[in-house]
Amino acid sequence: MTETSHKPGAMQTRSKIIITCAVTGAIHTPTMSPYLPITPDQIASEAIAAAEAGAAILHLHARDPETGKPDQTPEAFARFLPRIKQATNAAINITTGGSPYMKVEERVRPAAQFKPEVASLNMGSINFGLYHLVGKYETFKFDWEKPHLEATRDLVFRNSFKDIEYILATCYDNGTRFEFECYDIAHLYNLSHFADRGLVKPPFFVQSVFGLLGGIGTHPEDVAHMKRTADRLFGDQFRWSVLGAGASQLRIAAQSAALGGNIRVGLEDSLWAGKGRLAKSNAEQVVLARKIIEGLGMEVATPDEAREILSLKGGDKVAF
């Protein structure tokens, strides 16, 4: 997509702000918070409560209910997807990121089988460092946690052009649209490359990720640079959203909302609900995001408004 093909920013002037809630993820381990949902019951109840609090989109991973390890089998997702769909109107987003340790063929299986309205799609490879978290904990609840974190000292989260093409080819005919996860400026250019090739269609839902070791930082200038670059590349053909890792979550959320962007919160991205205070639920973070939006004189988008903004196919066209 050429850098001058659209008027910048027109699509960001809408007053409706989409809140996405990423309920559990694959980064945090059970030792880090007693509130991290692990079992299907916990994931379902947390997702439903987040939707009730104002999340229009629910970004979902699965875990082994016994150990809390990331589990990307379709069977694991089947234990909670129908329950969430029946209990809420929120659009459901299934990860294709899974865990950085997984191959792309494993990561894409749940989205391929269940044909969700939205699936995440990481737009480039990065070093994915979690090893610096090890020193924060004297002991770990499960044996897998410490080695899992330590091993990221030598981990590249692979998302090659071939991998991205594979996910697009597997999911696009299902009517699934994508949350394009961009961990650095280069990932925006990668998305522009796929747009130029006609492999992705607007409106693009660009999720800018800040604060993971190996990706772009959390300085306000980093956030502004990501926004400026996306504006220049995609003009009025995208909807911008942000997630801030850890303690930066709400500060970056506020900057995005002030710029007319959208917000992602949830225990996948941050375990906190204020300085030194663990969030007791995903819904607690959604409420905090809602306060930011409404405090700026804007409105939280309903699920159906989010569907309209992002051109989603509708919850009646999924396979769960």
Side-chain angles (χ1 to χ4, degrees):
M1 181 166 284
T2 61
E3 296 186 3
T4 58
S5 58
H6 301 282
K7 283 180 65 177
M11 206 167 187
Q12 270 70 19
T13 61
R14 299 173 184 265
S15 62
K16 298 284 188 177
I17 306 298
I18 299 167
I19 299 176
T20 296
C21 185
V23 174
T24 186
I27 293 174
H28 296 120
T29 68
T31 294
M32 297 177 182
S33 173
Y35 307 110
L36 184 70
I38 291 171
T39 69
D41 284 348
Q42 291 168 344
I43 292 170
S45 62
E46 283 283 306
I48 293 164
E52 290 172 347
I57 299 175
L58 300 169
H59 173 106
L60 300 174
H61 288 242
R63 291 180 181 260
D64 182 313
E66 300 298 325
T67 66
K69 289 184 72 172
D71 184 347
Q72 198 66 6
T73 62
E75 293 78 13
F77 283 80
R79 298 185 185 109
F80 54 75
L81 285 175
R83 295 164 59 186
I84 296 170
K85 180 188 174 186
Q86 290 164 13
T88 174
N89 186 39
I92 292 178
N93 175 339
I94 295 178
T95 179
T96 70
S99 165
Y101 293 100
M102 299 173 180
K103 293 184 178 180
V104 68
E105 293 84 1
E106 179 182 3
R107 288 160 40 192
V108 79
R109 285 180 63 206
Q113 177 168 325
F114 295 115
K115 303 176 175 57
E117 292 186 76
V118 188
S120 66
L121 179 52
N122 299 315
M123 291 309 297
S125 302
I126 60 167
N127 291 332
F128 203 88
L130 304 173
Y131 61 90
H132 59 294
L133 301 175
V134 171
K136 297 178 180 289
Y137 306 94
E138 293 183 5
T139 60
F140 287 87
K141 186 174 180 181
F142 296 103
D143 291 342
W144 68 270
E145 295 180 71
K146 186 174 181 180
H148 171 87
L149 297 171
E150 284 280 14
T152 65
R153 196 181 300 271
D154 190 32
L155 177 68
V156 176
F157 189 7
R158 175 188 161 126
N159 296 284
S160 68
F161 292 113
K162 182 179 179 181
D163 292 342
I164 294 169
E165 289 171 351
Y166 178 79
I167 292 172
L168 290 172
T170 303
C171 295
Y172 235 143
D173 286 344
N174 296 332
T176 297
R177 295 188 64 82
F178 292 94
E179 172 197 25
F180 295 106
E181 296 198 6
C182 297
Y183 296 77
D184 218 333
I185 296 298
H187 296 179
L188 295 173
Y189 284 91
N190 291 349
L191 176 58
S192 180
H193 164 77
F194 283 101
D196 283 341
R197 292 174 58 194
L199 298 180
V200 294
K201 305 293 184 184
F204 308 119
F205 186 32
V206 176
Q207 189 70 256
S208 296
V209 182
F210 301 92
L212 284 171
L213 184 59
I216 198 169
T218 62
H219 192 279
E221 280 299 315
D222 294 324
V223 180
H225 183 38
M226 190 75 89
K227 173 67 162 57
R228 286 192 300 265
T229 305
D231 275 340
R232 178 164 44 81
L233 290 174
F234 308 117
D236 64 355
Q237 297 299 296
F238 80 111
R239 283 288 277 176
W240 186 56
S241 184
V242 304
L243 72 89
S248 68
Q249 183 185 68
L250 294 176
R251 173 174 56 79
I252 288 176
Q255 187 174 352
S256 176
L259 293 170
N262 302 285
I263 294 172
R264 181 172 127 176
V265 293
L267 296 183
E268 171 173 351
D269 305 331
S270 174
L271 298 174
W272 306 98
K275 188 174 177 60
R277 184 167 65 86
L278 287 172
K280 294 183 178 180
S281 69
N282 282 276
E284 184 176 5
Q285 291 185 352
V286 173
V287 168
L288 292 172
R290 183 167 202 141
K291 287 180 179 178
I292 290 170
I293 293 165
E294 293 174 345
L296 290 169
M298 300 175 181
E299 296 179 81
V300 175
T302 67
D304 286 337
E305 287 169 339
R307 288 182 173 98
E308 180 181 359
I309 291 166
L310 299 176
S311 298
L312 303 184
K313 65 182 180 179
D316 58 333
K317 296 180 177 63
V318 301
F320 57 89

